[in-house]
Amino acid sequence: MGEQAVALAKKVGYFSAGTVEFLVSEADRSFYFLEMNTRLQVEHPITEAVSGTDLMQMMFAVADGEKLSLRQGDISPVGWAMESRVYAEDPRQGFVPFPGAVRAYREPRLGPDPDIPSSLRELHFDHAGVRVDSGIDEGGKVQLYYDPMVSKLICYGLDRETTRQKMLQALDSYVIHGVKNNLEFLRALMSEPAFIEGKTTTAFIPQTWKNGFHGAPKEKAAQRRAEALAVWMYARSAGDTGPISLRSGDVEVEAEMEAGNVIFLDGEQRQVVHIDKVQETICGGGVVTLVEAVVNQKLESFQV
């Protein structure tokens, strides 16, 4: 494919960064030309990460009449990279765009990865091997008239599974409030067995979610712990220990604070969730859920 891409560029006299796309047959690995884009693709940070090259800088250099400073033989791919396109859209409604104001925005911050080469820092990756190319900030707006992409989230690791796990952690620590987004869908996609095994095709999404995406299944105990932490956070900030009406997704529950713990009132059942244990579990387990708590007719949202 590389040889065919170079031959095509030479044939049309093209001298700049470009991307030639092919479709590959799963049966015999034969490939077929799809299209050529005379620009860098959205996914170019993946190539930059595994090759250690700054494609944007090289594109500008060639446009300025300079020659490339390296040849194909100088490039030896190392490691694995993945990119998630984070969008302001509603996956539960056919991925329709969701313009609006971004009330809260926090990009992922993971712990350092000792296997990350120092050269990646020059390519805008942090010490964890995570890079976020974003075009919005807290208080900004996703406009109706443009592509609703919020950011590109790129993760790098020494192998595919390490990178996948890192991407899940990054998605879990990404906070976007005010507009619906596809973070939950991206987490679900990367947790699917077919994706884990690397057996995805162009039909992966319609085959996996035949009736559309309606949310990822959550382990009940983990969701209840996250809900408890949200109740505690709200009650502490509001100074209120009275009954709290809580909504998480399509589920409504009643809870109250008692001796620093959260008491869930499931009919006649009283389930006590100890806050100290919840905090430890949340911090260590990466549980993320969006919870709306209503106290004294005031609505607040928490993503924990």
Side-chain angles (χ1 to χ4, degrees):
M1 285 190 288
E3 293 175 354
Q4 292 295 320
V6 171
L8 174 59
K10 287 183 176 179
K11 185 68 175 180
V12 299
Y14 182 72
F15 296 94
S16 184
T19 308
V20 181
E21 297 184 18
F22 299 90
L23 288 176
V24 181
S25 170
E26 184 179 9
D28 58 5
R29 310 301 288 177
S30 56
F31 59 90
Y32 306 88
F33 173 76
L34 181 62
E35 66 176 357
M36 177 178 179
N37 293 304
T38 53
R39 56 176 170 80
L40 290 178
Q41 288 286 75
V42 176
E43 300 84 4
H44 78 270
I46 294 177
T47 304
E48 292 186 330
V50 298
S51 65
T53 58
D54 189 333
L55 296 179
M56 187 70 71
Q57 188 276 330
M58 295 169 70
M59 181 178 69
F60 287 143
V62 170
D64 198 37
E66 299 180 24
K67 291 187 176 182
L68 293 176
S69 58
L70 50 81
R71 303 180 66 84
Q72 187 65 47
D74 300 324
I75 301 175
S76 298
V78 176
W80 202 284
M82 291 182 180
E83 178 177 308
S84 293
R85 297 191 191 187
V86 180
Y87 269 81
E89 62 185 11
D90 188 355
R92 298 167 185 255
Q93 299 293 328
F95 300 92
V96 296
F98 201 93
V102 179
R103 293 171 47 201
Y105 182 78
R106 303 287 188 277
E107 294 179 352
R109 291 293 181 268
L110 307 184
D113 183 345
D115 294 325
I116 297 302
S118 58
S119 58
L120 278 188
R121 301 302 297 273
E122 300 177 6
L123 297 172
H124 312 293
F125 285 82
D126 63 16
H127 57 259
V130 177
R131 167 174 163 176
V132 183
D133 293 354
S134 59
I136 201 165
D137 205 345
E138 192 168 300
K141 289 186 177 181
V142 177
Q143 298 291 338
L144 173 65
Y145 311 103
Y146 308 103
D147 189 304
M149 181 186 289
V150 173
S151 72
K152 299 184 302 181
L153 173 61
I154 308 98
C155 293
Y156 174 88
L158 292 185
D159 54 59
R160 187 177 187 273
E161 181 58 18
T162 298
T163 305
R164 188 185 72 87
Q165 291 289 346
K166 185 177 295 185
M167 180 65 78
L168 287 172
Q169 294 176 32
L171 290 168
D172 281 348
S173 61
Y174 212 140
V175 176
I176 303 174
H177 284 182
V179 293
K180 292 185 178 181
N181 56 76
N182 64 340
L183 290 176
E184 182 186 17
F185 172 76
L186 293 170
R187 294 188 201 100
L189 184 151
M190 293 203 170
S191 300
E192 278 294 317
F195 185 88
I196 295 173
E197 297 170 12
K199 296 182 179 179
T200 58
T201 69
T202 53
F204 168 59
I205 291 178
Q207 287 178 350
T208 303
W209 293 282
K210 295 181 175 62
N211 298 316
F213 181 76
H214 300 291
K218 293 184 179 180
E219 192 267 315
K220 183 62 179 178
Q223 181 167 334
R224 178 52 59 88
R225 291 193 297 267
E227 292 169 349
L229 181 58
V231 173
W232 175 76
M233 289 170 60
Y234 187 87
R236 186 180 65 171
S237 64
D240 196 312
T241 58
I244 297 173
S245 174
L246 183 78
R247 172 181 290 276
S248 179
D250 297 328
V251 179
E252 290 189 37
V253 296
E254 295 291 325
E256 62 183 25
M257 297 292 295
E258 183 177 292
N261 296 317
V262 176
I263 312 297
F264 284 95
L265 310 176
D266 296 330
E268 297 182 357
Q269 300 291 323
R270 287 171 56 86
Q271 181 180 357
V272 180
V273 181
H274 301 287
I275 291 301
D276 290 341
K277 185 177 180 180
V278 170
Q279 292 183 80
E280 181 180 352
T281 303
I282 297 297
C283 293
V287 178
V288 174
T289 189
L290 179 62
V291 177
E292 294 180 343
V294 181
V295 179
N296 297 329
Q297 299 183 339
K298 183 179 180 182
L299 175 67
E300 288 291 343
S301 296
F302 294 95
Q303 184 166 326
V304 295

